[in-house]
Amino acid sequence: MVRIDGRDYDELRDVKIIRNYLKHPQGSVLIEMGNTKVICTAMIDDKVPPFLKGTNTGWITAEYSMIPGSTVHRKFRDSTRGKVEGRSQEIQRLIGRSLRGVIDLNLIGEKTIWIDCDVIQADGGTRTASITGGFVALVDAVNWLYKKGEIKQIPISNFVSAVSVGIVDNSPILDLCFDEDYRASVDMNVVMTDDNQFIEIQGTGEKSTFSKDELYKLLNLAEKGNEKLVSKQKEVLGNISKLIGKDKEGEVHG
Amino acid sequence: MVRIDGRDYDELRDVKIIRNYLKHPQGSVLIEMGNTKVICTAMIDDKVPPFLKGTNTGWITAEYSMIPGSTVHRKFRDSTRGKVEGRSQEIQRLIGRSLRGVIDLNLIGEKTIWIDCDVIQADGGTRTASITGGFVALVDAVNWLYKKGEIKQIPISNFVSAVSVGIVDNSPILDLCFDEDYRASVDMNVVMTDDNQFIEIQGTGEKSTFSKDELYKLLNLAEKGNEKLVSKQKEVLGNISKLIGKDKEGEVHG
Amino acid sequence: MVRIDGRDYDELRDVKIIRNYLKHPQGSVLIEMGNTKVICTAMIDDKVPPFLKGTNTGWITAEYSMIPGSTVHRKFRDSTRGKVEGRSQEIQRLIGRSLRGVIDLNLIGEKTIWIDCDVIQADGGTRTASITGGFVALVDAVNWLYKKGEIKQIPISNFVSAVSVGIVDNSPILDLCFDEDYRASVDMNVVMTDDNQFIEIQGTGEKSTFSKDELYKLLNLAEKGNEKLVSKQKEVLGNISKLIGKDKEGEVHG
Amino acid sequence: MVRIDGRDYDELRDVKIIRNYLKHPQGSVLIEMGNTKVICTAMIDDKVPPFLKGTNTGWITAEYSMIPGSTVHRKFRDSTRGKVEGRSQEIQRLIGRSLRGVIDLNLIGEKTIWIDCDVIQADGGTRTASITGGFVALVDAVNWLYKKGEIKQIPISNFVSAVSVGIVDNSPILDLCFDEDYRASVDMNVVMTDDNQFIEIQGTGEKSTFSKDELYKLLNLAEKGNEKLVSKQKEVLGNISKLIGKDKEGEVHG
Amino acid sequence: MVRIDGRDYDELRDVKIIRNYLKHPQGSVLIEMGNTKVICTAMIDDKVPPFLKGTNTGWITAEYSMIPGSTVHRKFRDSTRGKVEGRSQEIQRLIGRSLRGVIDLNLIGEKTIWIDCDVIQADGGTRTASITGGFVALVDAVNWLYKKGEIKQIPISNFVSAVSVGIVDNSPILDLCFDEDYRASVDMNVVMTDDNQFIEIQGTGEKSTFSKDELYKLLNLAEKGNEKLVSKQKEVLGNISKLIGKDKEGEVHG
Amino acid sequence: MVRIDGRDYDELRDVKIIRNYLKHPQGSVLIEMGNTKVICTAMIDDKVPPFLKGTNTGWITAEYSMIPGSTVHRKFRDSTRGKVEGRSQEIQRLIGRSLRGVIDLNLIGEKTIWIDCDVIQADGGTRTASITGGFVALVDAVNWLYKKGEIKQIPISNFVSAVSVGIVDNSPILDLCFDEDYRASVDMNVVMTDDNQFIEIQGTGEKSTFSKDELYKLLNLAEKGNEKLVSKQKEVLGNISKLIGKDKEGEVHG
């Protein structure tokens, strides 16, 4: 099978992660997966949602949006429509759950870390890029707290990344671009940690159903892709990487 | 492992499906999975969404809601809050996708079938009960069209059911009630057809991550549960069951 | 005059009130008036609206909604439209006023009792059924407080029920079903207590005006209907009925 | 019983109706009932709501609002809250029903007449003043159509006015001002025609219930009040009054 | 150049300001600029917005709205549309800024003064009339506080008025009525103090651009118009006028 | 006077305009004014608003938004608040007016050109940068139509740019960064064409009023700034610049 952009079936698109992309947030990256480009920021707020007040526990909340110029046909703003569309809500709930899965929120105190993922160019895989990039922004924001002395360790137990896999023309492939995604009969997003555990799996037979055998093949591809994404995250985070999952041998966070 | 209600790890709760539960809709069931009770209706409308106008193709759209008295702490109405909350949107998108996966919408003409799932009592598994019950209501509505002579066959290729599985106290279990769901470290909803194919898998490590091995065990449980649910659907649908997937050997729908 | 369902002009439809219909609310009933079916729940919340904070007084608030499958043509959800429609607001204000009319809210402390009326099948008279059924749910919720020792008496002074009357084909009739309601020239809802006092009267000349004489005939019919409804309430409430209006000879509540 | 402003129990406040109060609408009045002041306008639009398209029938729709400075404590704007509050909706539905009750909408063609009632000063009875004043504005707008030759007659069968009555300190009184309304145990709004027929009755036991006898006394007061209001309407409308209800002896409108 | 209503190019329309127009607000005026009529009220609330809590500083907030009957084609209510339209928001922000510009909010304590401008008839220049009239209502409300002894002085440093100027048929003119405004190539609103300083200038080339020379001519016209408006304000305020800007020689407010 | 970043009082910040910044829109630029960064896109839609249907005339509509990570304190999304805040509405109305001022919309047919300005980093002057950058995106989109043969000329009569000026510490300065803007007593945005004509002037005395003399000084500074911005636009647009204002000697557009 020949892919539209010449990639092998198990090959990621070019990945770029630029840290400190913006001036104001405590963490901010521009992540590019081929033509997909997402600005991920992490900002710290000294308030928590009502259900956490007085618990000495923090929170991570994520928001996801696409700018109107990010798509082929102009994307209408949720603000103009007066509500956040279902798809965006689903994605931001996924991002939040994925990142909360590897951080011990008891250790950051009553703070909310806002993860904002603003897609500036979309070519498939924007939600998985948001998780992969959002993780790096989160680490930078938590590290900012650590350097200021507000927390005593980086309470993050694992690296988290996400990638899409799917079945196109009966072949399982890794990291679908928009044209592939559009033609896929099965589409799956897989969020994993750096020790090959799953945080979330969402697979849908968009145009047909799929068998257990096909599922296993897709999961193997996702594993391979996520390993490479974590390598990239480690590369750009440099020395900070070593502070993550520090106490894994001892008590496990999260 | 002893479950809270004495069930075996691979045992469903009592399932009841009452057809023709309401007088007005073309299809309507009350489905009970233990204490979880959902009214699922299917109503036919002669309009389609704008993107389908002139295509001679139909549509299925689903809405999901909980009445305020369905939960321990009163559930606030979305109508009072002025918007449908993220969780409901996610669920109704899932129900719609699952049912659209087995029907050939080209064969019903420009009609919308509204699937409404109103939870009147919640004890875990409301979204999977909505799919299992919604499928039966859908069949009744499509059969209503068939009996009226508006369509020449029942264009449904497969039975669809859904069940939750999860890991509680390190044990994989089938069909979680609310108390189990609350304590689960991993929670997964699996939508399948009667020929053991997947339509949708959504698995989340709520409190911890999970391995490939654990995933496989959960999928096996889900397979077992869905087989029983399809048997129940066939039982309540009686002879109509035989009209489903009729032409499978020939051209496949959906 | 022969009525569509063979009833006499002054005859109610079959009335059923099933108490403890749902598991979670403090009070819950399914009320059926012929084909009209409404789930009425009463749930206690330890907060009051801002205007009552610090007054040691409670509140009753009612919400009314129809599930989409309750009507012949699918009822659109208010939540999807983003606002509660005028008719629903009018009805829920009426239910709240009617029930607040017979309870001494000073005696329940700073609590809100939420009355939720969810119509699952509509065939005329849903608002009056909501009041009649909502009253029983309210009694059960207040009795729950009483049995828990949180209040020293049942501070409810009277039974409350409601019924519709109207003029169809120039004849006054009791308890209109949908087809009658649709054809009525005058339509009136009458909320009364068990000592034949009025709490609320709402009469509208939908298709023509009406004279004082006609009005008086309608009120007499309503009186007769409400007497029977209160009997039914007393029957299903059994011994609890005796706790209502206890201190009427002494200081009057409400 | 001495009333707060020295009136007799069966006495209206001073009534003023200024026609052609504004320059742009086809009909516009300022109506004053004592300190209550409402601007009522009637504007003709060449569109009808979707359910009337193609029926050659017109429609009347009413909107009611209070300016923030009309009340003692500033009234928050519905527009700022993002929705029309329940009370306003109830009132505007009442105004619309009352005026539609005396006009034959088949005779005005596919037009919508907008009746807008904007309260600029509130001292009780704003909804009844809106109906009484709105009727005059409506007549002027319909007469505008008549003078332009767009309709062949004034298709209004009767005069319509409305007044409040209530029980204060155990006495039935007519036309309550705000202070009386606030203290009333029973409050009733009565919409009538010039031939003493009822269009709408809405009576509420705000603080206590009421008997049939009390009800009859209140209706007699309302009759007296409405007679005087119709006289005032006739006075200000002058010759146009004669065009109303012209064909009553023959075919009845509405 | 002959103007549509015979005025000279530098002539205001007839200005009327009626103080104490409504009964309830602390300050209320009806301002008329020709056919443009706006009710401006000033009401005092003992709360401030969250950002001012604990600062011992007050706030002025303005709201602007048009009643539906104020315009030739019925103006749809913002409340029905569910949001305040952009134009209204822009205008109310302008009114608020203009009035806050001349009052020392530190001297009124934690109070909000609500300025409401409700246009009852529109013929151009409604926003500038709102500022000119709103200022008088504000003075009355502040004077009410002063007379009650809640503040020790009138902390208003200057008179504020506003007027529109524009270029029509290549001629600069003062105080445009609607027909002129509609045809204007340049339209400018100028808010000034009584010592000929600017508070706000908003000039737009609606149909063409404009040169610096044209701008200067327009500003001279605006200066002339505002001088007359301030005279009118002083005339209607009478003796209270003398309390404004009292301490100007000393420390300047605002 | 020494400015915070060492600039002279009449000096712009570094200006960068990157064309073709995004892949999908017909025109897209990233404009940077120092630390202020805005993505401006122009996208063509084959529909027009209702009021233009059948007129063979086009429209330009602008939307403005800031991503949450663009500001020091996280900017809440309008979509979450359910409405576009007043400031954003004001800005997008300004952008739309400014660009419509130099294009002959009759010559583009029934098309809407959407101008979207998404601020990714804010340091003062975001609205003026949006106009300056939006103009370049607009030219590219119109040129795309021209190259496709859909229009016969570039119907843009002039270059448009915008800049802020203000008074800080009693000195008039050009192109305020956020810290200067925060401290400014007078703040003004000036939109101009390349022949030194004004399209829009918005000046506000934020903390004090200003005199005619100060106004003139500010306008001179704005003129100087806009001249440089137009030079920059011409530089990045290269040859396309020559197609703008082509027929100026003849019939003037816009």
Side-chain angles (χ1 to χ4, degrees), chain F residues 107 145-146 149-155:
Chain F
L107 298 187
L145 285 175
Y146 178 61
E150 296 200 19
I151 52 178
K152 301 226 174 92
Q153 58 177 128
I154 302 280

Side-chain angles (χ1 to χ4, degrees), chain E residues 176-196:
Chain E
L176 288 65
C177 68
F178 179 78
D179 283 330
E180 291 170 335
D181 188 63
Y182 184 80
R183 289 162 45 220
S185 59
V186 179
D187 177 26
M188 186 169 297
N189 294 295
V190 183
V191 187
M192 296 183 75
T193 63
D194 58 333
D195 49 6
N196 278 330

Side-chain angles (χ1 to χ4, degrees), chain C residues 23-181:
Chain C
K23 185 187 168 191
H24 302 306
Q26 284 81 25
S28 69
V29 313
L30 173 69
I31 182 167
E32 301 186 7
M33 300 280 294
N35 281 318
T36 287
K37 302 182 185 190
V38 186
I39 299 174
C40 306
T41 62
M43 301 184 90
I44 297 167
D45 184 5
D46 284 335
K47 290 187 218 100
V48 283
F51 69 90
L52 286 178
K53 273 192 189 138
T55 63
N56 206 24
T57 298
W59 191 244
I60 289 180
T61 196
E63 290 192 354
Y64 166 97
S65 189
M66 304 173 86
I67 68 169
S70 65
T71 49
V72 176
H73 299 289
R74 182 177 182 273
K75 175 87 187 164
F76 273 77
R77 292 178 194 274
D78 284 342
S79 54
T80 311
R81 307 188 321 140
K83 59 178 177 180
V84 180
E85 60 168 8
R87 177 185 169 274
S88 300
Q89 289 207 39
E90 209 167 299
I91 293 175
Q92 57 201 26
R93 283 161 56 89
L94 169 64
I95 300 169
R97 276 197 311 271
S98 298
L99 298 180
R100 285 193 301 270
V102 292
I103 187 166
D104 188 343
L105 292 166
N106 294 310
L107 299 186
I108 64 161
E110 290 198 12
K111 288 175 174 40
T112 293
I113 305 182
W114 289 87
I115 304 294
D116 285 285
C117 301
D118 287 272
V119 178
I120 61 174
Q121 193 164 277
D123 187 29
T126 60
R127 80 184 69 188
T128 49
S130 295
I131 292 169
T132 306
F135 176 77
V136 177
L138 172 64
V139 170
D140 271 329
V142 172
N143 191 39
W144 180 89
L145 285 173
Y146 177 60
K147 286 189 299 184
K148 277 189 63 183
E150 295 201 19
I151 53 178
K152 300 225 174 93
Q153 57 178 128
I154 304 281
I156 296 177
S157 61
N158 283 91
F159 281 76
V160 171
S161 67
V163 77
S164 75
V165 287
I167 298 179
V168 176
D169 298 341
N170 298 314
S171 306
I173 55 174
L174 175 66
D175 187 22
L176 288 65
C177 67
F178 180 78
D179 282 330
E180 292 170 335
D181 188 65

Side-chain angles (χ1 to χ4, degrees), chain A residues 117-143:
Chain A
C117 302
D118 287 89
V119 178
I120 60 173
Q121 192 163 277
D123 188 28
T126 60
R127 82 185 69 188
T128 48
S130 294
I131 293 170
T132 306
F135 176 77
V136 176
L138 172 65
V139 170
D140 271 329
V142 172
N143 190 40

Side-chain angles (χ1 to χ4, degrees), chain A residues 86-98:
Chain A
R87 178 184 168 274
S88 299
Q89 289 205 39
E90 208 168 299
I91 293 175
Q92 56 201 29
R93 284 160 56 88
L94 169 65
I95 300 170
R97 275 198 310 272
S98 297

Side-chain angles (χ1 to χ4, degrees), chain A:
Chain A
M1 186 219 183
V2 181
R3 294 177 70 173
I4 196 171
D5 50 8
R7 277 186 289 156
D8 230 327
Y9 78 102
D10 63 349
E11 198 180 340
L12 291 177
R13 291 176 285 181
D14 278 349
V15 187
K16 280 187 208 156
I17 303 177
I18 302 174
R19 279 170 67 208
N20 303 317
Y21 184 67
L22 298 179
K23 185 186 167 191
H24 302 305
Q26 284 82 21
S28 70
V29 313
L30 172 68
I31 182 168
E32 303 187 7
M33 299 280 295
N35 281 320
T36 287
K37 302 183 184 188
V38 187
I39 299 176
C40 305
T41 62
M43 300 185 91
I44 295 167
D45 184 4
D46 284 335
K47 291 190 218 101
V48 283
F51 69 92
L52 286 178
K53 268 185 196 149
T55 62
N56 206 24
T57 299
W59 190 245
I60 289 180
T61 197
E63 289 191 354
Y64 167 96
S65 190
M66 302 173 87
I67 68 169
S70 65
T71 48
V72 176
H73 299 287
R74 184 178 180 273
K75 174 90 187 160
F76 273 76
R77 292 178 195 271
D78 283 342
S79 54
T80 311
R81 305 189 321 140
K83 58 178 177 180
V84 180
E85 60 167 9
R87 178 184 168 274
S88 299
Q89 289 205 39
E90 208 168 299
I91 293 175
Q92 56 201 29
R93 284 160 56 88
L94 169 65
I95 300 170
R97 275 198 310 272
S98 297
L99 298 180
R100 285 193 300 271
V102 293
I103 187 167
D104 188 343
L105 292 165
N106 293 309
L107 299 186
I108 66 162
E110 289 198 13
K111 288 176 171 50
T112 294
I113 306 181
W114 289 87
I115 303 295
D116 285 286
C117 302
D118 287 89
V119 178
I120 60 173
Q121 192 163 277
D123 188 28
T126 60
R127 82 185 69 188
T128 48
S130 294
I131 293 170
T132 306
F135 176 77
V136 176
L138 172 65
V139 170
D140 271 329
V142 172
N143 190 40
W144 180 88
L145 286 174
Y146 178 61
K147 285 189 298 184
K148 276 188 63 184
E150 296 201 22
I151 53 176
K152 301 228 173 88
Q153 56 177 130
I154 303 282
I156 295 178
S157 61
N158 283 93
F159 282 76
V160 171
S161 67
V163 78
S164 75
V165 287
I167 298 179
V168 176
D169 299 341
N170 299 312
S171 304
I173 55 173
L174 175 67
D175 187 22
L176 288 65
C177 68
F178 179 78
D179 283 330
E180 291 171 335
D181 188 63
Y182 184 78
R183 290 163 44 220
S185 59
V186 179
D187 178 26
M188 186 169 296
N189 294 295
V190 184
V191 188
M192 297 182 77
T193 63
D194 57 334
D195 47 8
N196 278 330
Q197 296 276 308
F198 298 106
I199 290 190
E200 182 121 2
I201 296 174
Q202 293 190 340
T204 306
E206 298 277 354
K207 295 199 190 64
S208 72
T209 56
F210 54 105
S211 67
K212 209 183 284 182
D213 185 55
E214 287 170 319
L215 170 64
Y216 293 174
K217 281 187 187 145
L218 290 172
L219 294 176
N220 285 339
L221 274 182
E223 201 173 297
K224 195 180 278 189
N226 275 318
E227 272 169 14
K228 282 183 192 143
L229 289 169
V230 167
S231 297
K232 189 75 193 180
Q233 290 174 326
K234 288 186 175 169
E235 180 194 320
V236 300
L237 281 168
N239 278 335
I240 303 173
S241 294
K242 296 177 192 151
L243 300 172
I244 291 169
K246 257 283 147 149
D247 59 352
K248 249 192 239 175
E249 284 74 34
E251 202 188 340
V252 180
H253 302 301

